[in-house]
Amino acid sequence: MAHILITSGPTRQYIDPVRYMTNGSSGRMGASLAAAAIAAGHDVTIISGPVQVDYPIEARVIPVITTEEMLAACELEFPSCDGLIGVAAPCDYRPERVEGHKIAKTGQPITLHLIETPDVVATIGAKKKPQQWVVGFALETEDARFRALVKLEKKNCDLIVLNGPEAMNAAENQVEILDRAGTSVALLSGPKEEVAAGIMQAIQTRLMK
Ligand code: C5P
Protein backbone atom coordinates (compact mmCIF):
# COMPACT_ATOMS: atom_id res chain seq x y z
CA MET A 1 0.00 0.00 0.00
CA ALA A 2 1.28 3.45 -0.92
CA HIS A 3 0.50 7.01 0.15
CA ILE A 4 -0.30 8.97 -3.00
CA LEU A 5 -0.45 12.76 -3.27
CA ILE A 6 -2.73 14.16 -5.98
CA THR A 7 -2.93 17.80 -7.10
CA SER A 8 -6.31 18.53 -8.64
CA GLY A 9 -8.49 21.28 -10.07
CA PRO A 10 -7.60 24.82 -11.11
CA THR A 11 -5.97 27.53 -9.02
CA ARG A 12 -6.95 31.21 -8.82
CA GLN A 13 -4.75 34.25 -8.99
CA TYR A 14 -6.38 37.40 -7.71
CA ILE A 15 -6.23 40.71 -9.59
CA ASP A 16 -8.04 42.69 -6.91
CA PRO A 17 -10.16 41.58 -3.90
CA VAL A 18 -13.05 40.39 -6.10
CA ARG A 19 -11.55 39.51 -9.50
CA TYR A 20 -9.31 36.61 -10.37
CA MET A 21 -7.85 34.60 -13.26
CA THR A 22 -8.49 30.86 -13.44
CA ASN A 23 -9.23 28.08 -15.97
CA GLY A 24 -11.90 25.47 -16.70
CA SER A 25 -10.40 22.51 -14.84
CA SER A 26 -13.24 20.69 -13.01
CA GLY A 27 -11.23 18.39 -10.71
CA ARG A 28 -13.06 15.36 -12.17
CA MET A 29 -9.90 13.60 -13.33
CA GLY A 30 -8.36 14.19 -9.90
CA ALA A 31 -11.46 12.79 -8.18
CA SER A 32 -11.45 9.76 -10.51
CA LEU A 33 -7.75 9.10 -9.89
CA ALA A 34 -8.31 9.39 -6.13
CA ALA A 35 -11.17 6.88 -6.33
CA ALA A 36 -9.04 4.49 -8.43
CA ALA A 37 -6.12 4.76 -6.00
CA ILE A 38 -8.37 4.14 -2.99
CA ALA A 39 -10.02 1.17 -4.75
CA ALA A 40 -6.50 -0.24 -5.29
CA GLY A 41 -5.89 0.00 -1.51
CA HIS A 42 -3.78 3.15 -1.32
CA ASP A 43 -3.96 6.16 1.01
CA VAL A 44 -4.72 9.40 -0.82
CA THR A 45 -4.13 13.05 0.01
CA ILE A 46 -5.58 15.56 -2.47
CA ILE A 47 -4.39 19.15 -2.71
CA SER A 48 -7.20 20.86 -4.57
CA GLY A 49 -7.97 24.27 -5.95
CA PRO A 50 -11.59 25.53 -5.81
CA VAL A 51 -13.88 22.87 -7.41
CA GLN A 52 -17.49 21.69 -7.26
CA VAL A 53 -16.57 18.02 -7.62
CA ASP A 54 -17.04 15.53 -4.75
CA TYR A 55 -13.82 13.81 -3.75
CA PRO A 56 -13.99 10.30 -2.22
CA ILE A 57 -14.69 10.53 1.53
CA GLU A 58 -11.71 8.25 2.21
CA ALA A 59 -9.33 10.88 0.80
CA ARG A 60 -7.80 13.64 2.90
CA VAL A 61 -8.45 16.91 1.05
CA ILE A 62 -6.33 20.02 1.54
CA PRO A 63 -8.04 23.01 -0.10
CA VAL A 64 -5.90 25.76 -1.62
CA ILE A 65 -6.59 28.82 -3.76
CA THR A 66 -3.40 29.94 -5.50
CA THR A 67 -0.58 28.11 -7.29
CA GLU A 68 1.85 29.26 -4.56
CA GLU A 69 -0.42 27.72 -1.90
CA MET A 70 -0.66 24.49 -3.92
CA LEU A 71 3.13 24.30 -4.08
CA ALA A 72 3.54 25.09 -0.36
CA ALA A 73 1.06 22.32 0.56
CA CYS A 74 2.87 19.86 -1.76
CA GLU A 75 6.24 20.70 -0.21
CA LEU A 76 4.80 19.93 3.22
CA GLU A 77 3.06 16.69 2.21
CA PHE A 78 5.32 15.12 -0.42
CA PRO A 79 8.15 14.04 1.94
CA SER A 80 5.75 11.59 3.65
CA CYS A 81 4.28 10.31 0.35
CA ASP A 82 5.45 7.63 -2.09
CA GLY A 83 4.43 9.51 -5.20
CA LEU A 84 2.71 12.53 -6.72
CA ILE A 85 0.12 12.59 -9.49
CA GLY A 86 0.01 16.18 -10.78
CA VAL A 87 -3.34 16.42 -12.52
CA ALA A 88 -4.15 19.97 -11.39
CA ALA A 89 -4.24 22.85 -13.87
CA PRO A 90 -2.50 25.54 -11.82
CA CYS A 91 -2.59 29.10 -13.18
CA ASP A 92 0.74 29.70 -14.87
CA TYR A 93 0.64 33.49 -14.39
CA ARG A 94 -0.30 35.95 -11.69
CA PRO A 95 -0.57 39.71 -11.68
CA GLU A 96 2.72 41.17 -10.47
CA ARG A 97 0.75 43.25 -8.01
CA VAL A 98 -2.64 42.53 -6.44
CA GLU A 99 -4.67 45.72 -5.98
CA GLY A 100 -5.84 46.20 -2.39
CA HIS A 101 -9.15 47.68 -3.55
CA LYS A 102 -11.59 46.82 -6.35
CA ILE A 103 -10.24 48.36 -9.56
CA ALA A 104 -12.76 51.03 -10.61
CA LYS A 105 -13.82 51.38 -14.25
CA THR A 106 -12.58 54.56 -15.93
CA GLY A 107 -13.70 53.99 -19.52
CA GLN A 108 -10.04 53.47 -20.48
CA PRO A 109 -8.23 50.18 -21.21
CA ILE A 110 -6.07 48.85 -18.40
CA THR A 111 -2.90 46.75 -18.61
CA LEU A 112 -2.18 43.82 -16.33
CA HIS A 113 1.45 42.92 -15.88
CA LEU A 114 1.65 39.15 -15.41
CA ILE A 115 4.54 37.10 -14.07
CA GLU A 116 4.96 33.32 -13.99
CA THR A 117 3.90 31.30 -10.97
CA PRO A 118 6.06 28.36 -9.81
CA ASP A 119 5.62 24.99 -11.51
CA VAL A 120 4.40 22.60 -8.81
CA VAL A 121 5.27 19.32 -10.54
CA ALA A 122 8.69 20.59 -11.68
CA THR A 123 9.56 21.81 -8.17
CA ILE A 124 8.57 18.52 -6.56
CA GLY A 125 10.13 16.50 -9.43
CA ALA A 126 13.47 18.24 -8.83
CA LYS A 127 13.40 17.23 -5.14
CA LYS A 128 12.05 13.67 -5.31
CA LYS A 129 14.03 10.93 -3.58
CA PRO A 130 15.12 7.84 -5.59
CA GLN A 131 12.28 5.74 -4.17
CA GLN A 132 9.64 8.41 -4.87
CA TRP A 133 7.86 8.88 -8.20
CA VAL A 134 6.10 11.74 -9.98
CA VAL A 135 3.47 11.47 -12.72
CA GLY A 136 2.67 14.61 -14.73
CA PHE A 137 -0.04 15.44 -17.23
CA ALA A 138 0.33 17.29 -20.52
CA LEU A 139 -2.51 18.84 -22.47
CA GLU A 140 -1.24 19.48 -25.97
CA THR A 141 -2.75 20.52 -29.28
CA GLU A 142 0.27 20.14 -31.62
CA ASP A 143 3.45 18.05 -31.66
CA ALA A 144 1.77 16.37 -28.72
CA ARG A 145 4.15 13.46 -28.06
CA PHE A 146 7.28 15.53 -28.55
CA ARG A 147 6.08 18.31 -26.27
CA ALA A 148 4.88 15.84 -23.65
CA LEU A 149 8.30 14.14 -23.58
CA VAL A 150 10.06 17.51 -23.25
CA LYS A 151 7.82 18.23 -20.23
CA LEU A 152 8.46 14.80 -18.74
CA GLU A 153 12.18 15.49 -18.90
CA LYS A 154 12.00 19.11 -17.74
CA LYS A 155 9.77 18.28 -14.76
CA ASN A 156 11.68 15.09 -13.89
CA CYS A 157 8.55 12.92 -14.12
CA ASP A 158 8.61 9.12 -14.27
CA LEU A 159 5.53 8.94 -16.50
CA ILE A 160 3.54 11.59 -18.34
CA VAL A 161 -0.12 11.33 -19.28
CA LEU A 162 -0.85 13.06 -22.57
CA ASN A 163 -4.34 14.32 -23.29
CA GLY A 164 -6.05 16.76 -25.65
CA PRO A 165 -8.01 19.95 -24.90
CA GLU A 166 -11.30 18.01 -25.04
CA ALA A 167 -10.34 16.61 -21.60
CA MET A 168 -11.03 19.96 -19.93
CA ASN A 169 -14.30 19.95 -17.98
CA ALA A 170 -15.57 16.81 -19.79
CA ALA A 171 -16.85 13.44 -18.53
CA GLU A 172 -14.74 11.42 -20.97
CA ASN A 173 -11.06 11.44 -21.74
CA GLN A 174 -8.56 9.93 -24.17
CA VAL A 175 -4.97 9.62 -23.01
CA GLU A 176 -1.62 8.13 -23.90
CA ILE A 177 0.88 7.34 -21.14
CA LEU A 178 4.56 7.80 -22.04
CA ASP A 179 7.59 6.66 -20.05
CA ARG A 180 11.06 8.20 -19.81
CA ALA A 181 12.27 6.21 -22.81
CA GLY A 182 9.46 7.73 -24.89
CA THR A 183 7.65 4.40 -25.06
CA SER A 184 3.87 4.42 -25.21
CA VAL A 185 2.89 2.49 -22.09
CA ALA A 186 -0.90 2.63 -22.57
CA LEU A 187 -3.61 4.20 -24.74
CA LEU A 188 -6.82 4.67 -22.81
CA SER A 189 -10.18 6.20 -23.69
CA GLY A 190 -13.63 6.35 -22.14
CA PRO A 191 -15.26 7.78 -19.02
CA LYS A 192 -12.71 9.47 -16.73
CA GLU A 193 -13.34 6.78 -14.06
CA GLU A 194 -12.19 4.03 -16.47
CA VAL A 195 -9.24 6.04 -17.75
CA ALA A 196 -8.21 6.76 -14.15
CA ALA A 197 -8.27 3.05 -13.31
CA GLY A 198 -6.01 2.39 -16.32
CA ILE A 199 -3.58 5.14 -15.25
CA MET A 200 -3.45 3.71 -11.70
CA GLN A 201 -2.73 0.27 -13.13
CA ALA A 202 0.17 1.65 -15.19
CA ILE A 203 1.54 3.46 -12.11
CA GLN A 204 1.32 0.29 -10.01
CA THR A 205 2.98 -1.88 -12.66
CA ARG A 206 5.75 0.55 -13.56
CA LEU A 207 6.48 2.63 -10.48
CA MET A 208 5.52 0.67 -7.36
CA LYS A 209 7.66 -2.07 -5.95
O1 C5P B 1 3.61 22.90 -18.57
P1 C5P B 1 2.21 22.39 -18.50
O2 C5P B 1 1.26 23.25 -17.73
O3 C5P B 1 1.63 21.97 -19.82
O4 C5P B 1 2.38 21.01 -17.69
C1 C5P B 1 1.30 20.27 -17.20
C2 C5P B 1 1.74 19.51 -15.98
O5 C5P B 1 2.43 20.39 -15.09
C3 C5P B 1 0.58 18.97 -15.19
O6 C5P B 1 1.00 17.80 -14.54
C4 C5P B 1 0.31 20.11 -14.20
O7 C5P B 1 -0.33 19.63 -13.04
C5 C5P B 1 1.69 20.60 -13.92
N1 C5P B 1 1.81 22.03 -13.58
C6 C5P B 1 2.15 22.40 -12.29
N2 C5P B 1 2.31 23.74 -11.95
C7 C5P B 1 2.14 24.69 -12.87
C8 C5P B 1 1.79 24.34 -14.20
C9 C5P B 1 1.64 23.00 -14.50
O8 C5P B 1 2.30 21.51 -11.45
N3 C5P B 1 2.29 25.97 -12.54
Side-chain angles (χ1 to χ4, degrees):
M1 192 179 77
H3 185 186
I4 301 177
L5 188 61
I6 300 177
T7 65
S8 179
T11 59
R12 280 180 193 170
Q13 303 297 154
Y14 276 86
I15 296 165
D16 69 19
V18 292
R19 302 185 180 97
Y20 53 82
M21 307 189 302
T22 189
N23 61 64
S25 171
S26 63
R28 268 188 234 170
M29 199 61 212
S32 300
L33 280 163
I38 289 161
H42 305 299
D43 282 336
V44 172
T45 298
I46 304 171
I47 300 175
S48 179
V51 289
Q52 300 298 323
V53 83
D54 290 322
Y55 289 118
I57 48 163
E58 298 90 341
R60 185 171 145 242
V61 181
I62 302 173
V64 295
I65 305 285
T66 66
T67 301
E68 290 90 339
E69 286 171 13
M70 184 170 273
L71 175 58
C74 280
E75 301 216 74
L76 266 183
E77 297 297 324
F78 190 66
S80 61
C81 292
D82 298 289
L84 167 73
I85 306 177
V87 66
C91 269
D92 293 315
Y93 292 94
R94 67 173 172 87
E96 189 171 31
R97 132 193 177 95
V98 182
E99 294 297 333
H101 58 271
K102 185 180 171 192
I103 300 169
K105 290 191 345 181
T106 62
Q108 295 301 313
I110 59 165
T111 304
L112 283 178
H113 193 240
L114 303 179
I115 56 175
E116 278 191 23
T117 55
D119 191 301
V120 178
V121 165
T123 309
I124 298 299
K127 292 181 182 177
K128 75 181 159 87
K129 300 272 185 295
Q131 73 280 8
Q132 289 179 304
W133 48 265
V134 170
V135 175
F137 276 67
L139 191 152
E140 306 293 342
T141 54
E142 3 170 30
D143 294 334
R145 275 181 156 199
F146 175 76
R147 286 175 190 239
L149 288 174
V150 169
K151 275 178 195 172
L152 177 151
E153 191 64 39
K154 216 168 149 184
K155 303 187 187 207
N156 201 24
C157 296
D158 298 276
L159 292 173
I160 195 146
V161 182
L162 172 59
N163 52 25
E166 58 282 352
M168 212 77 172
N169 214 353
E172 305 227 332
N173 203 357
Q174 187 170 356
V175 309
E176 181 172 25
I177 307 176
L178 301 169
D179 70 10
R180 289 190 68 84
T183 309
S184 179
V185 168
L187 266 175
L188 307 160
S189 67
K192 284 185 175 173
E193 294 76 13
E194 278 176 30
V195 170
I199 295 170
M200 259 326 293
Q201 210 175 345
I203 291 173
Q204 292 196 129
T205 313
R206 311 238 151 206
L207 305 179
M208 293 187 194
K209 305 278 147 18

